[in-house]
Amino acid sequence: MADKGFELLVGGKQDPGFGSITMIGMGGIYVELYADAAMGIGVLSRKDVEHMLANTRAGRVLDGFRGQTYDREAVIGLAISVSRLLAENPDICELDLNPVIVHEHGFDVVDARLIRDPENAAVLPKEILNWKQKSLDAIFNAQSVAIIGASHPGTQGGVILKNCMGIENLYPVHPRLKTIHGLSCYPSLQDLPKIPDVCVFAVNSELTVSIFEDFCKSGGKGAIIFSDGFAEMGRADLEERLIQLSEAYKVAFIGPNCMGVIDNFSGLNTNYIPIQRSVPPTSSNCVGVISQSGGIGLELLEMFAADRQNLGKWVSIGNAASTGVPEILHHMGEDPRIKIIAIYLEGVADGLKLMEVGKKVASKKPVLVMKGGIGGGAKAALSHTASLAGSHEAFRACCAQAGFLLVEELTEDPKILVNILSILTSQPRTSGNRVAVVSVGGGAGILISDQVTEEGMTLAEFAPETRTRMHDLFLKDLKPDQKAVQEKILENVGNNPIDLLGNCRDDRLLEAIRIVDQDPNTDVIIAAIYLQVPLLSEYLPERLVELKQELTKPLIISPRGFSPYVDRCRTYMADKKLHTYTVPMMKPLRMAMNIWKRYDTSFYDKTRTL
């Protein structure tokens, strides 16, 4: 009965973590087959709906695919109305309008399906409490720290104590020991010379609750509860007691069941992994890391250390009973020393709080987010919306509206995140995405060039003066008996990628990089180098380090191969803060370029150790 048009699905549901969610995408009988839908949280703005459409094939059709005209404005208005209906009526659990047949002017809603539950309550955003922020400030600026459960080396409490030796006023607490690591040991909290700002707990759960109560009553400011044996082990009652004490005395804590904090500004380090088994970064820079998983957090730490990269703050939140990701994110957002924040998440308890805090923080500094647990999904409900609007899709909507940069490849390779942070903190900012590829060995240059274009970047078209200088560089190295083959050798010189050939010496490589650095059509230089070739000297890594100081553009060095010699060269350059990259490299570079463009700022400081 309705006129033909483009079939669209507009619908929504109530999510336990994010509240009302609106969906828009391909409609009709093939909706699950196309799986083309984007989500938005809460009452949507026009900007929100525009972003949703931009991420769907349905949006491309509405834009006028193959010249067909549809009423895009009417669809945007419908999506906003549906989002308001769901937000104002939390008893509407699910709503499907499918198909919505869109015409050149207006639309027809052909079918509608609605499920209601009068007992369903609205999900409201929670505020960041001031007293929790004061506790976090005390933890990250601790003047005195007590380790409850400190002990000799070989125990978790012993490792935590040793890692905290940078704290000036450090108090080991153990009922029987007199000294540990040369420090006087105290039998109980009451025997300390003064109540410390921060208590770190490494004792059993029952004892933790008892001593935490004493700490709160005595005027303590904040705690880190490494101890396990709480809700994750079926003892929700003990965790609830910690929460009650925390709220009653206004003393927040990180944990329980966590690895706590590494703060390279203050020297606080509650990591319980022995130094000989893990080598976390010990010098500070502008990067803050928040991890819901201690294991993934540790893995990221070791990747930083392996690449000789530094770190500002690192927090493992564990059960997040008192302070979760939103609170730590807010704290790092307010810290002017932290310029970039990376988060690993597995579950979202306070989705709306995270989104609201995220909007404020991401408006002034990059927030990169990785989400684990995206497989499986929630049990499908009867309607189309429920089958598509899984929790991960809601989380993607949260990231889009908050302004987070979602790194979805983490499940494939966590090194992607580390390389993004490395490029941002070790390279000068560039405003464009034109890439020049310089290679010693043609095959590597071809592969990298393919990856450049696949990631949406552009191969630079060199200016005429650049081509001329590159020709002169090659001519200078030609011997008299090579003049006959001069034209063949020079045939591709000046094209991108630049193949410097297997007879390349140090000077040819270094000068080629200098020439490209001065090319007006180039924004980034990638140098793919087989360091193993005979005519490149063993002094090349040192000369590359010197060269980096005079360049004005990012230089991404990709040493090819994995021989011990290549590894030694990479290690030397990394120690001199010239980071090199094997794989993955192109996705991190593309994301770094997006961050430079979006925030119009540099995270690289030549004057200090990064």
Side-chain angles (χ1 to χ4, degrees), residues 133-165:
Q133 286 308 307
K134 289 181 179 179
S135 282
L136 285 177
D137 290 342
I139 290 172
F140 287 103
N141 296 282
Q143 302 300 308
S144 55
V145 176
I147 311 296
I148 310 299
S151 189
H152 290 305
T155 64
Q156 292 172 336
V159 174
I160 292 173
L161 176 65
K162 188 173 182 179
N163 286 342
C164 286
M165 294 295 283

PDB file of all heavy atoms in Angstrom, residues 133-165:
ATOM      1  N   GLN A 133      37.831  12.294  44.551  1.00  0.00           N
ATOM      2  CA  GLN A 133      38.930  12.937  43.844  1.00  0.00           C
ATOM      3  C   GLN A 133      40.021  13.395  44.809  1.00  0.00           C
ATOM      4  O   GLN A 133      41.208  13.332  44.496  1.00  0.00           O
ATOM      5  CB  GLN A 133      38.405  14.117  43.022  1.00  0.00           C
ATOM      6  CG  GLN A 133      37.655  13.705  41.773  1.00  0.00           C
ATOM      7  CD  GLN A 133      38.443  12.744  40.899  1.00  0.00           C
ATOM      8  OE1 GLN A 133      39.584  13.009  40.528  1.00  0.00           O
ATOM      9  NE2 GLN A 133      37.852  11.604  40.582  1.00  0.00           N
ATOM     10  N   LYS A 134      39.634  13.855  45.998  1.00  0.00           N
ATOM     11  CA  LYS A 134      40.627  14.243  46.996  1.00  0.00           C
ATOM     12  C   LYS A 134      41.445  13.031  47.441  1.00  0.00           C
ATOM     13  O   LYS A 134      42.663  13.128  47.651  1.00  0.00           O
ATOM     14  CB  LYS A 134      39.936  14.890  48.197  1.00  0.00           C
ATOM     15  CG  LYS A 134      39.379  16.275  47.907  1.00  0.00           C
ATOM     16  CD  LYS A 134      38.719  16.884  49.144  1.00  0.00           C
ATOM     17  CE  LYS A 134      38.184  18.272  48.838  1.00  0.00           C
ATOM     18  NZ  LYS A 134      37.505  18.884  50.019  1.00  0.00           N
ATOM     19  N   SER A 135      40.783  11.884  47.602  1.00  0.00           N
ATOM     20  CA  SER A 135      41.506  10.662  47.960  1.00  0.00           C
ATOM     21  C   SER A 135      42.486  10.267  46.871  1.00  0.00           C
ATOM     22  O   SER A 135      43.636   9.876  47.147  1.00  0.00           O
ATOM     23  CB  SER A 135      40.524   9.510  48.225  1.00  0.00           C
ATOM     24  OG  SER A 135      39.925   9.620  49.486  1.00  0.00           O
ATOM     25  N   LEU A 136      42.048  10.354  45.602  1.00  0.00           N
ATOM     26  CA  LEU A 136      42.944  10.009  44.499  1.00  0.00           C
ATOM     27  C   LEU A 136      44.122  10.973  44.437  1.00  0.00           C
ATOM     28  O   LEU A 136      45.262  10.555  44.182  1.00  0.00           O
ATOM     29  CB  LEU A 136      42.185  10.028  43.182  1.00  0.00           C
ATOM     30  CG  LEU A 136      41.254   8.831  42.928  1.00  0.00           C
ATOM     31  CD1 LEU A 136      40.500   9.022  41.623  1.00  0.00           C
ATOM     32  CD2 LEU A 136      42.041   7.530  42.881  1.00  0.00           C
ATOM     33  N   ASP A 137      43.870  12.247  44.663  1.00  0.00           N
ATOM     34  CA  ASP A 137      44.965  13.214  44.681  1.00  0.00           C
ATOM     35  C   ASP A 137      45.973  12.866  45.771  1.00  0.00           C
ATOM     36  O   ASP A 137      47.189  12.998  45.570  1.00  0.00           O
ATOM     37  CB  ASP A 137      44.424  14.630  44.908  1.00  0.00           C
ATOM     38  CG  ASP A 137      43.640  15.153  43.709  1.00  0.00           C
ATOM     39  OD1 ASP A 137      43.807  14.586  42.604  1.00  0.00           O
ATOM     40  OD2 ASP A 137      42.862  16.105  43.883  1.00  0.00           O
ATOM     41  N   ALA A 138      45.470  12.402  46.923  1.00  0.00           N
ATOM     42  CA  ALA A 138      46.372  12.008  48.014  1.00  0.00           C
ATOM     43  C   ALA A 138      47.190  10.785  47.624  1.00  0.00           C
ATOM     44  O   ALA A 138      48.394  10.700  47.941  1.00  0.00           O
ATOM     45  CB  ALA A 138      45.565  11.724  49.279  1.00  0.00           C
ATOM     46  N   ILE A 139      46.557   9.828  46.951  1.00  0.00           N
ATOM     47  CA  ILE A 139      47.271   8.615  46.535  1.00  0.00           C
ATOM     48  C   ILE A 139      48.396   8.959  45.557  1.00  0.00           C
ATOM     49  O   ILE A 139      49.518   8.463  45.672  1.00  0.00           O
ATOM     50  CB  ILE A 139      46.292   7.606  45.914  1.00  0.00           C
ATOM     51  CG1 ILE A 139      45.374   7.020  46.998  1.00  0.00           C
ATOM     52  CG2 ILE A 139      47.042   6.472  45.198  1.00  0.00           C
ATOM     53  CD1 ILE A 139      44.240   6.164  46.462  1.00  0.00           C
ATOM     54  N   PHE A 140      48.098   9.838  44.593  1.00  0.00           N
ATOM     55  CA  PHE A 140      49.088  10.154  43.572  1.00  0.00           C
ATOM     56  C   PHE A 140      50.078  11.236  44.003  1.00  0.00           C
ATOM     57  O   PHE A 140      51.001  11.548  43.256  1.00  0.00           O
ATOM     58  CB  PHE A 140      48.382  10.567  42.280  1.00  0.00           C
ATOM     59  CG  PHE A 140      47.747   9.416  41.554  1.00  0.00           C
ATOM     60  CD1 PHE A 140      46.384   9.203  41.608  1.00  0.00           C
ATOM     61  CD2 PHE A 140      48.530   8.529  40.837  1.00  0.00           C
ATOM     62  CE1 PHE A 140      45.800   8.138  40.944  1.00  0.00           C
ATOM     63  CE2 PHE A 140      47.959   7.459  40.170  1.00  0.00           C
ATOM     64  CZ  PHE A 140      46.594   7.257  40.220  1.00  0.00           C
ATOM     65  N   ASN A 141      49.875  11.792  45.175  1.00  0.00           N
ATOM     66  CA  ASN A 141      50.838  12.755  45.721  1.00  0.00           C
ATOM     67  C   ASN A 141      51.207  12.360  47.148  1.00  0.00           C
ATOM     68  O   ASN A 141      51.367  13.212  48.026  1.00  0.00           O
ATOM     69  CB  ASN A 141      50.251  14.174  45.698  1.00  0.00           C
ATOM     70  CG  ASN A 141      49.990  14.672  44.294  1.00  0.00           C
ATOM     71  OD1 ASN A 141      50.896  15.077  43.595  1.00  0.00           O
ATOM     72  ND2 ASN A 141      48.728  14.622  43.879  1.00  0.00           N
ATOM     73  N   ALA A 142      51.346  11.054  47.367  1.00  0.00           N
ATOM     74  CA  ALA A 142      51.539  10.533  48.719  1.00  0.00           C
ATOM     75  C   ALA A 142      52.853  11.024  49.328  1.00  0.00           C
ATOM     76  O   ALA A 142      53.920  10.839  48.733  1.00  0.00           O
ATOM     77  CB  ALA A 142      51.508   9.008  48.695  1.00  0.00           C
ATOM     78  N   GLN A 143      52.757  11.625  50.498  1.00  0.00           N
ATOM     79  CA  GLN A 143      53.944  12.025  51.248  1.00  0.00           C
ATOM     80  C   GLN A 143      54.402  10.927  52.202  1.00  0.00           C
ATOM     81  O   GLN A 143      55.555  10.891  52.612  1.00  0.00           O
ATOM     82  CB  GLN A 143      53.659  13.300  52.046  1.00  0.00           C
ATOM     83  CG  GLN A 143      53.213  14.474  51.190  1.00  0.00           C
ATOM     84  CD  GLN A 143      54.249  14.873  50.160  1.00  0.00           C
ATOM     85  OE1 GLN A 143      55.412  15.087  50.495  1.00  0.00           O
ATOM     86  NE2 GLN A 143      53.831  14.962  48.900  1.00  0.00           N
ATOM     87  N   SER A 144      53.477  10.027  52.545  1.00  0.00           N
ATOM     88  CA  SER A 144      53.807   8.912  53.439  1.00  0.00           C
ATOM     89  C   SER A 144      52.928   7.719  53.084  1.00  0.00           C
ATOM     90  O   SER A 144      51.748   7.884  52.780  1.00  0.00           O
ATOM     91  CB  SER A 144      53.594   9.311  54.905  1.00  0.00           C
ATOM     92  OG  SER A 144      52.275   9.792  55.120  1.00  0.00           O
ATOM     93  N   VAL A 145      53.532   6.525  53.113  1.00  0.00           N
ATOM     94  CA  VAL A 145      52.845   5.308  52.692  1.00  0.00           C
ATOM     95  C   VAL A 145      53.160   4.185  53.672  1.00  0.00           C
ATOM     96  O   VAL A 145      54.323   3.968  54.041  1.00  0.00           O
ATOM     97  CB  VAL A 145      53.280   4.876  51.276  1.00  0.00           C
ATOM     98  CG1 VAL A 145      52.619   3.553  50.880  1.00  0.00           C
ATOM     99  CG2 VAL A 145      52.949   5.962  50.253  1.00  0.00           C
ATOM    100  N   ALA A 146      52.111   3.457  54.077  1.00  0.00           N
ATOM    101  CA  ALA A 146      52.290   2.251  54.902  1.00  0.00           C
ATOM    102  C   ALA A 146      51.962   1.032  54.058  1.00  0.00           C
ATOM    103  O   ALA A 146      50.960   1.029  53.336  1.00  0.00           O
ATOM    104  CB  ALA A 146      51.389   2.307  56.129  1.00  0.00           C
ATOM    105  N   ILE A 147      52.807   0.008  54.138  1.00  0.00           N
ATOM    106  CA  ILE A 147      52.569  -1.253  53.438  1.00  0.00           C
ATOM    107  C   ILE A 147      52.085  -2.265  54.464  1.00  0.00           C
ATOM    108  O   ILE A 147      52.873  -2.762  55.285  1.00  0.00           O
ATOM    109  CB  ILE A 147      53.837  -1.778  52.734  1.00  0.00           C
ATOM    110  CG1 ILE A 147      54.494  -0.674  51.898  1.00  0.00           C
ATOM    111  CG2 ILE A 147      53.496  -3.002  51.896  1.00  0.00           C
ATOM    112  CD1 ILE A 147      53.668  -0.173  50.763  1.00  0.00           C
ATOM    113  N   ILE A 148      50.790  -2.556  54.470  1.00  0.00           N
ATOM    114  CA  ILE A 148      50.214  -3.515  55.404  1.00  0.00           C
ATOM    115  C   ILE A 148      50.436  -4.918  54.837  1.00  0.00           C
ATOM    116  O   ILE A 148      49.877  -5.277  53.809  1.00  0.00           O
ATOM    117  CB  ILE A 148      48.710  -3.269  55.619  1.00  0.00           C
ATOM    118  CG1 ILE A 148      48.436  -1.793  55.952  1.00  0.00           C
ATOM    119  CG2 ILE A 148      48.173  -4.194  56.698  1.00  0.00           C
ATOM    120  CD1 ILE A 148      49.091  -1.300  57.207  1.00  0.00           C
ATOM    121  N   GLY A 149      51.276  -5.689  55.512  1.00  0.00           N
ATOM    122  CA  GLY A 149      51.643  -7.006  54.991  1.00  0.00           C
ATOM    123  C   GLY A 149      53.028  -7.012  54.370  1.00  0.00           C
ATOM    124  O   GLY A 149      53.387  -7.943  53.643  1.00  0.00           O
ATOM    125  N   ALA A 150      53.816  -5.951  54.646  1.00  0.00           N
ATOM    126  CA  ALA A 150      55.193  -5.911  54.157  1.00  0.00           C
ATOM    127  C   ALA A 150      55.963  -7.090  54.743  1.00  0.00           C
ATOM    128  O   ALA A 150      55.715  -7.526  55.870  1.00  0.00           O
ATOM    129  CB  ALA A 150      55.853  -4.594  54.562  1.00  0.00           C
ATOM    130  N   SER A 151      56.892  -7.613  53.964  1.00  0.00           N
ATOM    131  CA  SER A 151      57.630  -8.788  54.429  1.00  0.00           C
ATOM    132  C   SER A 151      58.952  -8.868  53.689  1.00  0.00           C
ATOM    133  O   SER A 151      59.346  -7.954  52.957  1.00  0.00           O
ATOM    134  CB  SER A 151      56.800 -10.052  54.208  1.00  0.00           C
ATOM    135  OG  SER A 151      57.407 -11.161  54.843  1.00  0.00           O
ATOM    136  N   HIS A 152      59.661 -10.001  53.909  1.00  0.00           N
ATOM    137  CA  HIS A 152      60.953 -10.214  53.278  1.00  0.00           C
ATOM    138  C   HIS A 152      60.783 -10.463  51.783  1.00  0.00           C
ATOM    139  O   HIS A 152      59.692 -10.786  51.309  1.00  0.00           O
ATOM    140  CB  HIS A 152      61.658 -11.411  53.919  1.00  0.00           C
ATOM    141  CG  HIS A 152      62.116 -11.147  55.328  1.00  0.00           C
ATOM    142  ND1 HIS A 152      62.925 -10.083  55.655  1.00  0.00           N
ATOM    143  CD2 HIS A 152      61.889 -11.825  56.489  1.00  0.00           C
ATOM    144  CE1 HIS A 152      63.176 -10.103  56.948  1.00  0.00           C
ATOM    145  NE2 HIS A 152      62.551 -11.151  57.480  1.00  0.00           N
ATOM    146  N   PRO A 153      61.889 -10.352  51.010  1.00  0.00           N
ATOM    147  CA  PRO A 153      61.818 -10.690  49.588  1.00  0.00           C
ATOM    148  C   PRO A 153      61.308 -12.114  49.379  1.00  0.00           C
ATOM    149  O   PRO A 153      61.523 -12.997  50.201  1.00  0.00           O
ATOM    150  CB  PRO A 153      63.279 -10.562  49.135  1.00  0.00           C
ATOM    151  CG  PRO A 153      63.893  -9.593  50.092  1.00  0.00           C
ATOM    152  CD  PRO A 153      63.215  -9.847  51.410  1.00  0.00           C
ATOM    153  N   GLY A 154      60.605 -12.308  48.268  1.00  0.00           N
ATOM    154  CA  GLY A 154      60.022 -13.609  47.978  1.00  0.00           C
ATOM    155  C   GLY A 154      58.546 -13.671  48.269  1.00  0.00           C
ATOM    156  O   GLY A 154      57.882 -14.654  47.957  1.00  0.00           O
ATOM    157  N   THR A 155      58.011 -12.635  48.881  1.00  0.00           N
ATOM    158  CA  THR A 155      56.583 -12.542  49.154  1.00  0.00           C
ATOM    159  C   THR A 155      56.015 -11.353  48.383  1.00  0.00           C
ATOM    160  O   THR A 155      56.747 -10.435  47.986  1.00  0.00           O
ATOM    161  CB  THR A 155      56.300 -12.345  50.649  1.00  0.00           C
ATOM    162  OG1 THR A 155      56.846 -11.076  51.055  1.00  0.00           O
ATOM    163  CG2 THR A 155      56.955 -13.447  51.471  1.00  0.00           C
ATOM    164  N   GLN A 156      54.700 -11.350  48.197  1.00  0.00           N
ATOM    165  CA  GLN A 156      54.082 -10.238  47.478  1.00  0.00           C
ATOM    166  C   GLN A 156      54.242  -8.933  48.241  1.00  0.00           C
ATOM    167  O   GLN A 156      54.561  -7.887  47.651  1.00  0.00           O
ATOM    168  CB  GLN A 156      52.610 -10.558  47.230  1.00  0.00           C
ATOM    169  CG  GLN A 156      52.425 -11.715  46.245  1.00  0.00           C
ATOM    170  CD  GLN A 156      50.991 -12.172  46.135  1.00  0.00           C
ATOM    171  OE1 GLN A 156      50.191 -11.972  47.043  1.00  0.00           O
ATOM    172  NE2 GLN A 156      50.657 -12.804  45.013  1.00  0.00           N
ATOM    173  N   GLY A 157      54.040  -8.981  49.559  1.00  0.00           N
ATOM    174  CA  GLY A 157      54.231  -7.777  50.360  1.00  0.00           C
ATOM    175  C   GLY A 157      55.663  -7.295  50.336  1.00  0.00           C
ATOM    176  O   GLY A 157      55.932  -6.091  50.381  1.00  0.00           O
ATOM    177  N   GLY A 158      56.613  -8.237  50.237  1.00  0.00           N
ATOM    178  CA  GLY A 158      58.021  -7.858  50.164  1.00  0.00           C
ATOM    179  C   GLY A 158      58.362  -7.168  48.858  1.00  0.00           C
ATOM    180  O   GLY A 158      59.125  -6.192  48.820  1.00  0.00           O
ATOM    181  N   VAL A 159      57.792  -7.669  47.758  1.00  0.00           N
ATOM    182  CA  VAL A 159      58.044  -7.054  46.447  1.00  0.00           C
ATOM    183  C   VAL A 159      57.445  -5.651  46.389  1.00  0.00           C
ATOM    184  O   VAL A 159      58.082  -4.700  45.904  1.00  0.00           O
ATOM    185  CB  VAL A 159      57.472  -7.930  45.319  1.00  0.00           C
ATOM    186  CG1 VAL A 159      57.603  -7.227  43.980  1.00  0.00           C
ATOM    187  CG2 VAL A 159      58.173  -9.280  45.284  1.00  0.00           C
ATOM    188  N   ILE A 160      56.218  -5.498  46.902  1.00  0.00           N
ATOM    189  CA  ILE A 160      55.576  -4.182  46.895  1.00  0.00           C
ATOM    190  C   ILE A 160      56.400  -3.187  47.704  1.00  0.00           C
ATOM    191  O   ILE A 160      56.627  -2.047  47.269  1.00  0.00           O
ATOM    192  CB  ILE A 160      54.142  -4.277  47.449  1.00  0.00           C
ATOM    193  CG1 ILE A 160      53.257  -5.083  46.485  1.00  0.00           C
ATOM    194  CG2 ILE A 160      53.549  -2.889  47.673  1.00  0.00           C
ATOM    195  CD1 ILE A 160      51.873  -5.382  47.015  1.00  0.00           C
ATOM    196  N   LEU A 161      56.877  -3.614  48.859  1.00  0.00           N
ATOM    197  CA  LEU A 161      57.698  -2.727  49.685  1.00  0.00           C
ATOM    198  C   LEU A 161      58.955  -2.294  48.930  1.00  0.00           C
ATOM    199  O   LEU A 161      59.311  -1.119  48.903  1.00  0.00           O
ATOM    200  CB  LEU A 161      58.080  -3.426  50.989  1.00  0.00           C
ATOM    201  CG  LEU A 161      59.030  -2.640  51.906  1.00  0.00           C
ATOM    202  CD1 LEU A 161      58.352  -1.370  52.403  1.00  0.00           C
ATOM    203  CD2 LEU A 161      59.507  -3.499  53.071  1.00  0.00           C
ATOM    204  N   LYS A 162      59.637  -3.261  48.316  1.00  0.00           N
ATOM    205  CA  LYS A 162      60.872  -2.940  47.590  1.00  0.00           C
ATOM    206  C   LYS A 162      60.598  -1.982  46.439  1.00  0.00           C
ATOM    207  O   LYS A 162      61.385  -1.055  46.183  1.00  0.00           O
ATOM    208  CB  LYS A 162      61.508  -4.217  47.065  1.00  0.00           C
ATOM    209  CG  LYS A 162      62.888  -4.017  46.467  1.00  0.00           C
ATOM    210  CD  LYS A 162      63.532  -5.344  46.110  1.00  0.00           C
ATOM    211  CE  LYS A 162      64.930  -5.133  45.546  1.00  0.00           C
ATOM    212  NZ  LYS A 162      65.578  -6.432  45.207  1.00  0.00           N
ATOM    213  N   ASN A 163      59.473  -2.171  45.732  1.00  0.00           N
ATOM    214  CA  ASN A 163      59.138  -1.292  44.611  1.00  0.00           C
ATOM    215  C   ASN A 163      58.747   0.113  45.060  1.00  0.00           C
ATOM    216  O   ASN A 163      58.741   1.035  44.247  1.00  0.00           O
ATOM    217  CB  ASN A 163      58.005  -1.900  43.783  1.00  0.00           C
ATOM    218  CG  ASN A 163      58.468  -3.069  42.934  1.00  0.00           C
ATOM    219  OD1 ASN A 163      59.661  -3.236  42.691  1.00  0.00           O
ATOM    220  ND2 ASN A 163      57.524  -3.875  42.480  1.00  0.00           N
ATOM    221  N   CYS A 164      58.401   0.273  46.345  1.00  0.00           N
ATOM    222  CA  CYS A 164      57.998   1.581  46.872  1.00  0.00           C
ATOM    223  C   CYS A 164      59.129   2.312  47.581  1.00  0.00           C
ATOM    224  O   CYS A 164      58.890   3.324  48.256  1.00  0.00           O
ATOM    225  CB  CYS A 164      56.821   1.429  47.843  1.00  0.00           C
ATOM    226  SG  CYS A 164      55.240   1.077  47.059  1.00  0.00           S
ATOM    227  N   MET A 165      60.355   1.824  47.445  1.00  0.00           N
ATOM    228  CA  MET A 165      61.464   2.410  48.189  1.00  0.00           C
ATOM    229  C   MET A 165      61.750   3.856  47.789  1.00  0.00           C
ATOM    230  O   MET A 165      62.502   4.559  48.474  1.00  0.00           O
ATOM    231  CB  MET A 165      62.726   1.560  48.007  1.00  0.00           C
ATOM    232  CG  MET A 165      62.636   0.169  48.627  1.00  0.00           C
ATOM    233  SD  MET A 165      62.500   0.192  50.422  1.00  0.00           S
ATOM    234  CE  MET A 165      64.196   0.531  50.883  1.00  0.00           C
TER     235      MET A 165
END
